[in-house]
Amino acid sequence: MFRRPEKQVPGLNTTSTADISFMLLIFFLVTSSMDSDKGLPRQLPPPQEQQAEQELLVKERNVLQIEIDAHDQLTCEGEPTTTEALTDRIVEFVANRQNDPSLPEKSRREVHLLGLTEVSDHHVLAIQVSRQTTYDAYFQMQNAIVRAYARLRDDLARRRFGHGLRQCSAEEQASLAMVYPQRISETAPGE
């Protein structure tokens, strides 16, 4: 019986496989689009070097204290609350529909498209967040604030323009934002 010698299969040269994989990864990262439509529309203050030190005196009735502690407990004016209740509380606070002397002052101003209107421009939402607060708790609190302003502006749009905030033009939205401006002051504990 004759035996044929076994053929040796030559090994594959894989030295450049890692390089090719790395180049393909870079290529796809550079050429792919990463749209991110989520986020919070906030304008950050200027850097400390350019910021002029200015003391702002705010009456106590114009400030709504909102806090989140290290255990993600949300409080408003020292009382534990939920994000839904916080939205309602902010709407009541900012709107001050009965001109309650314990709620923020209002001023009468000429607003484009709305004429002479009561404007809620003295209120401040003073937010204090612990450094150990989770991002989810912080984000939920910020969403509650955004919902409150959206509700206020939507109600005003329906009363004055006859349609909701989403159907408003950019000019109408700017007028609504002048009546209910977002006035938020955020500090870290100990500041």
Side-chain angles (χ1 to χ4, degrees):
M1 305 263 181
F2 296 101
R3 279 192 166 211
R4 288 187 176 170
E6 290 184 28
K7 289 186 179 178
Q8 295 255 345
V9 177
L12 293 175
N13 185 1
T14 59
T15 55
S16 63
T17 305
D19 294 335
I20 292 171
S21 299
F22 183 70
M23 289 175 56
L24 286 172
L25 177 66
I26 297 298
F27 172 77
F28 288 121
L29 284 174
V30 170
T31 59
S32 64
S33 63
M34 296 181 197
D35 296 332
S36 61
D37 296 332
K38 295 182 179 183
L40 299 172
R42 298 283 184 262
Q43 183 174 1
L44 297 175
Q48 289 288 13
E49 302 86 51
Q50 299 173 357
Q51 187 176 5
E53 290 294 322
Q54 180 181 3
E55 189 171 318
L56 182 63
L57 297 175
V58 180
K59 293 180 181 176
E60 190 173 327
R61 73 179 267 190
N62 293 334
V63 178
L64 182 67
Q65 296 285 340
I66 302 169
E67 296 180 31
I68 304 179
D69 65 13
H71 305 291
D72 294 343
Q73 178 62 45
L74 178 64
T75 60
C76 182
E77 293 294 323
E79 299 172 7
T81 189
T82 64
T83 54
E84 293 80 18
L86 179 63
T87 298
D88 296 337
R89 183 82 184 264
I90 293 170
V91 167
E92 177 188 333
F93 179 78
V94 174
N96 190 9
R97 288 185 170 82
Q98 272 61 32
N99 283 327
D100 186 341
S102 65
L103 295 177
E105 301 169 292
K106 291 182 169 183
S107 56
R108 292 190 64 77
R109 298 232 169 114
E110 186 69 32
V111 177
H112 180 63
L113 299 178
L114 298 174
L116 191 60
T117 306
E118 281 193 339
V119 176
S120 181
D121 59 351
H122 294 291
H123 75 277
V124 175
L125 303 182
I127 300 171
Q128 190 170 10
V129 180
S130 170
R131 295 190 192 284
Q132 288 79 30
T133 300
T134 64
Y135 181 75
D136 184 54
Y138 177 78
F139 194 74
Q140 295 300 324
M141 183 257 318
Q142 288 287 346
N143 275 341
I145 293 170
V146 169
R147 275 194 310 272
Y149 282 101
R151 187 185 305 167
L152 286 165
R153 292 172 184 172
D154 187 66
D155 290 346
L156 183 60
R158 290 184 189 285
R159 283 195 319 266
R160 299 300 288 271
F161 301 129
H163 53 265
L165 181 63
R166 291 182 185 247
Q167 290 81 32
C168 287
S169 67
E171 191 177 26
E172 290 172 335
Q173 288 183 9
S175 296
L176 297 169
M178 288 179 69
V179 175
Y180 294 119
Q182 285 189 4
R183 300 194 44 164
I184 300 171
S185 171
E186 190 166 343
T187 59
E191 289 185 10

